[in-house]
């Protein structure tokens, strides 16, 4: 299997995004065609592990996916979970908080979406927006966002203690790749709907977002809730890495089918 350890953000280390090549495909010999083909057996393996998790129903998996605009969150979810039984997987997309959300602490809406036993829950954006967009757009004072890293570490510690395994994925694309993807959204009629003029304002804040991501990843990659910094310019490689991370995580969780009822060998169906 692909070695994904180069993409783990070791707890306590300082992330410098400039040191991580978004074009990397370290550890995979082939090119795009072979890479796309290699995803199929991974989809099957993920599906099998998910079936076990569902049957066991004693623990859950939370996958938080973060990226800059056009980073590929949606298509990663589509490709990596293709073939997995939808019954046991939920995706929640965190958008702009509602008035009710804002009347509570920022983790309130997040806690409400965490997975129950047996489920995989995918966060498309997450509580990390509260130290990313909220910081970059100066929606709260530094004094407020800077203490949130500690809240988040402790919140995730609590979830882990109570049976939710957490894995966090940052899809790392380059500024050039973003330009290309935004241009595609303008040029291809089927993609026009995805073009958001507001994304250009965020693109102008590229460097600020990079700094905010560096701090978030450095401050909150822990043993109980690690970050993976995934090279994401090549979509096929990104999918392989994310899929492998989830498979390894589920293998570590080692979900087991429940013991069958006693005396099944004596049962006769007439
Ligand atoms: P999209 O992912 O394109 O549907 O956009 C969702 C939008 O919601 C993005 O622009 C996010 O920055 C924004 N958003 C998500 N979470 C928060 C938050 N906690 N505070 C402010 N904006 C947020
Ligand atoms: Mg947006």
């Amino acid at each position: 299997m692909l070695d994904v350890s180069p993409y783990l953000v070791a707890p306590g280390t300082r992330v410098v995004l400039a040191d991580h090549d978004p074009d990397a495909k370290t550890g995979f010999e082939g090119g795009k065609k072979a890479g796309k083909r290699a995803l199929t057996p991974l989809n099957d393996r993920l599906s099998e592990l998910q079936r076990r998790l569902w049957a066991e129903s004693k623990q859950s998996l939370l996958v938080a996916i973060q990226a800059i605009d056009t980073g590929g969150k949606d298509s990663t979810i589509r490709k990596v979970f293709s073939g997995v039984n939808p019954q046991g997987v939920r995706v929640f997309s965190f958008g702009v908080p509602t008035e009710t959300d804002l009347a509570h602490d920022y983790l309130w809406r997040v806690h409400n979406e965490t997975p129950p036993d047996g489920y995989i829950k995918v966060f498309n954006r997450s509580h990390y927006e509260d130290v990313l967009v909220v910081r970059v757009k100066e929606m709260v004072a530094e004094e407020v966002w800077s203490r949130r890293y500690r809240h988040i570490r402790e919140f995730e510690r609590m979830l882990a203690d109570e049976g939710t395994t957490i894995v966090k994925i940052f899809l790392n694309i380059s500024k050039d790749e973003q330009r290309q993807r935004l241009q595609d959204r303008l040029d291809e009629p089927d993609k026009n709907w995805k073009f958001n003029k507001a994304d250009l304002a965020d693109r102008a804040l590229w460097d600020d977002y990079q700094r905010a991501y560096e701090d978030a990843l450095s401050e909150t990659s822990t043993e109980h809730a690690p970050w993976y910094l995934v090279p994401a310019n090549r979509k096929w490689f990104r999918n392989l890495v994310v899929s492998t991370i989830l498979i390894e995580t589920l293998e570590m969780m080692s979900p087991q089918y429940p013991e069958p009822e006693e005396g099944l060998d004596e049962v006769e169906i007439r």
Side-chain angles (χ1 to χ4, degrees):
M1 212 151 63
L2 185 66
D3 177 13
V4 294
S5 63
Y7 309 119
L8 173 71
V9 176
T13 57
R14 179 79 213 154
V15 170
V16 179
L17 286 175
D19 295 343
H20 296 264
D21 179 10
D23 272 310
K25 58 178 190 81
T26 316
F28 191 79
E29 292 300 323
K32 184 174 179 174
K33 211 169 154 198
K36 283 186 162 183
R37 233 181 296 124
L39 189 63
T40 308
L42 298 182
N43 286 155
D44 293 345
R45 179 68 182 139
L46 188 67
S47 171
E48 184 192 327
L49 286 160
Q50 184 267 334
R51 196 155 53 236
R52 283 177 174 272
L53 185 76
W54 172 260
E56 179 196 63
S57 206
K58 285 187 176 159
Q59 53 180 336
S60 59
L61 174 62
L62 171 57
V63 183
I65 304 186
Q66 286 289 156
I68 292 269
D69 289 321
T70 76
K73 300 186 299 299
D74 300 273
S75 75
T76 301
I77 294 167
R78 190 171 71 245
K79 296 288 187 186
V80 167
F81 287 94
S82 111
V84 174
N85 183 353
Q87 180 141 280
V89 179
R90 295 285 181 274
V91 180
F92 190 84
S93 300
F94 286 92
V96 176
T98 65
E99 206 177 315
T100 310
D101 293 335
L102 288 172
H104 293 81
D105 70 87
Y106 66 99
L107 290 174
W108 178 78
R109 67 171 181 160
V110 178
H111 201 175
N112 194 239
E113 292 297 335
T114 55
D117 290 344
Y119 282 81
I120 298 177
K121 186 71 173 262
V122 183
F123 282 0
N124 182 344
R125 301 185 190 271
S126 65
H127 42 304
Y128 285 93
E129 293 294 331
D130 292 289
V131 290
L132 293 163
V133 64
V134 167
R135 163 181 169 171
V136 170
K137 299 277 186 68
E138 300 180 347
M139 293 170 184
V140 299
E142 174 165 359
E143 168 195 14
V144 174
W145 60 253
S146 61
R147 64 191 178 206
R148 290 183 172 176
Y149 303 114
R150 175 172 52 83
H151 301 159
I152 290 173
R153 284 193 299 267
E154 289 173 2
F155 171 64
E156 292 176 346
R157 165 97 256 169
M158 183 278 291
L159 293 177
D161 285 348
E162 295 291 323
T164 298
T165 297
I166 303 167
V167 63
K168 301 175 296 197
I169 309 279
F170 171 57
L171 304 175
N172 185 31
I173 61 164
S174 62
K175 197 173 180 187
D176 258 2
E177 180 68 20
Q178 187 189 55
R179 186 183 43 73
Q180 190 56 55
R181 292 184 186 186
L182 287 170
Q183 192 64 50
D184 289 347
R185 290 180 180 186
L186 277 182
D187 296 346
E188 296 174 31
D190 286 359
K191 290 187 178 170
N192 283 170
W193 67 276
K194 284 204 259 184
F195 193 89
N196 214 321
K197 287 183 190 160
D199 289 350
L200 298 180
D202 276 331
R203 178 170 168 79
L205 296 167
W206 178 272
D207 291 339
D208 294 340
Y209 274 106
Q210 297 288 106
R211 296 295 86 73
Y213 267 107
E214 286 176 340
D215 285 346
L217 270 60
S218 306
E219 291 281 346
T220 64
S221 197
T222 56
E223 298 287 347
H224 59 270
W227 272 107
Y228 283 87
L229 206 173
V230 176
N233 276 3
R234 299 172 205 261
K235 296 169 185 169
W236 61 269
F237 186 68
R238 167 202 76 194
N239 295 340
L240 288 181
V241 174
V242 174
S243 187
T244 305
I245 291 166
L246 300 189
I247 288 168
E248 284 189 356
T249 304
L250 278 159
E251 283 176 346
M252 227 158 47
M253 293 167 73
S254 188
Q256 302 295 321
Y257 288 119
E259 286 294 322
E261 274 182 57
E262 271 180 53
L264 285 193
D265 42 354
E266 287 150 31
V267 173
E268 207 180 308
I269 300 168
R270 295 172 198 281

